[in-house]
Amino acid sequence: MFNKLESLLAKTDIILSPEQKQQLVAYVDMLNKWNKAYNLTSVRDPEQMLIRHVMDSIVVNPFLQGTRFIDVGTGPGLPGIPLAIVRPDSHFTLLDSLGKRVRFLRQVQHELGLTNIEPVQSRVEEFTPEVLFDGVISRAFASLQDMLSWCHHLPNATNGRFYALKGLLPEEELTQLPSGVSLDAVIPLQVPEQEGQRHLVILK
């Protein structure tokens, strides 16, 4: 698995330490093990988890601005845990409403020694942060409109942004943004060995 990760990283500009690579592989090992009992992801093959979960998450890293992020509807920690591993100086709140997912996240936090994540069990509309976030990240929402209506209270007013991980570019959704929200950037993402389009939509 370590060699597979190295071969995937070699097709990108991403530079990671041996420890970071080891943590990413250990995360996939845990995800694969827990998935058998907890059904955390529909992806069953660990190599596919590396491509479709880990690489798909960390290619977003260069485009994030700030140090405080919340991953909304994180599920088994995607993209929050891979991003926390490759971005150790940033802090990630991992929000999910399902107890079994949050238990898994706490186990990952413990086993990998991740001090920069905070798993939280809550529905997003009921979650009130003590400090607002530089970035609200999600790849879970059906539409940008849902993300904005449920998460509008989370980013800070001065430079907070929404980062939506998408497949095909949601052009129709982008024409229907509510007032007060503007499109900052649309970035096509290149994920090695992943079929289909991937985009990062940044709103502010």
Side-chain angles (χ1 to χ4, degrees):
M1 287 292 284
F2 194 89
N3 293 342
K4 178 65 178 178
L5 178 60
E6 294 224 293
S7 76
L8 291 166
L9 289 168
K11 297 172 183 171
T12 72
D13 298 331
I14 301 167
I15 309 293
L16 299 179
S17 71
E19 184 190 16
Q20 286 171 315
K21 294 174 191 172
Q22 202 61 57
Q23 284 180 312
L24 289 170
V25 170
Y27 169 62
V28 170
D29 284 342
M30 287 187 70
L31 185 55
N32 184 44
K33 186 172 77 179
W34 278 59
N35 201 37
K36 294 176 174 68
Y38 278 75
N39 201 21
L40 298 167
T41 167
S42 59
V43 180
R44 299 291 177 207
D45 175 49
E47 286 204 356
Q48 284 299 310
M49 289 178 184
L50 271 182
I51 297 165
R52 291 164 61 182
H53 289 335
V54 170
M55 294 303 298
D56 191 75
S57 296
I58 65 177
V59 293
V60 174
N61 183 46
F63 309 108
L64 301 181
Q65 297 178 35
T67 56
R68 281 183 53 78
F69 300 94
I70 182 167
D71 176 9
V72 178
T74 186
L78 298 163
I81 284 178
L83 284 171
I85 289 170
V86 303
R87 200 179 179 92
D89 296 333
S90 293
H91 186 274
F92 291 82
T93 297
L94 308 178
L95 194 73
D96 202 276
S97 60
L98 216 58
K100 67 178 183 179
R101 294 179 188 147
V102 175
R103 281 195 293 280
F104 171 70
L105 297 175
R106 290 195 178 120
Q107 191 63 29
V108 171
Q109 181 180 28
H110 172 69
E111 287 193 28
L112 301 190
L114 294 177
T115 56
N116 64 331
I117 66 169
E118 182 188 0
V120 176
Q121 184 179 349
S122 174
R123 294 170 62 87
V124 62
E125 58 270 35
E126 294 165 4
F127 176 67
T128 308
E130 291 176 15
V131 184
L132 296 175
F133 297 96
D134 300 320
V136 178
I137 307 171
S138 186
R139 62 178 211 166
F141 281 107
S143 71
L144 296 174
Q145 281 67 26
D146 284 349
M147 184 180 188
L148 293 167
S149 72
W150 289 339
C151 304
H152 62 88
H153 60 298
L154 298 176
N156 68 56
T158 46
N159 59 355
R161 285 174 168 76
F162 294 94
Y163 298 91
L165 280 73
K166 292 284 192 179
L168 294 171
L169 188 61
E171 293 183 27
E172 189 174 333
E173 292 172 29
L174 289 172
T175 65
Q176 299 168 1
L177 296 177
S179 63
V181 177
S182 61
L183 179 62
D184 194 29
V186 172
I187 298 155
L189 299 170
Q190 305 299 324
V191 183
E193 297 184 27
Q194 170 119 310
E195 293 176 12
Q197 296 182 30
R198 302 295 290 157
H199 289 88
L200 174 64
V201 177
I202 307 176
L203 305 171
K204 65 180 179 183

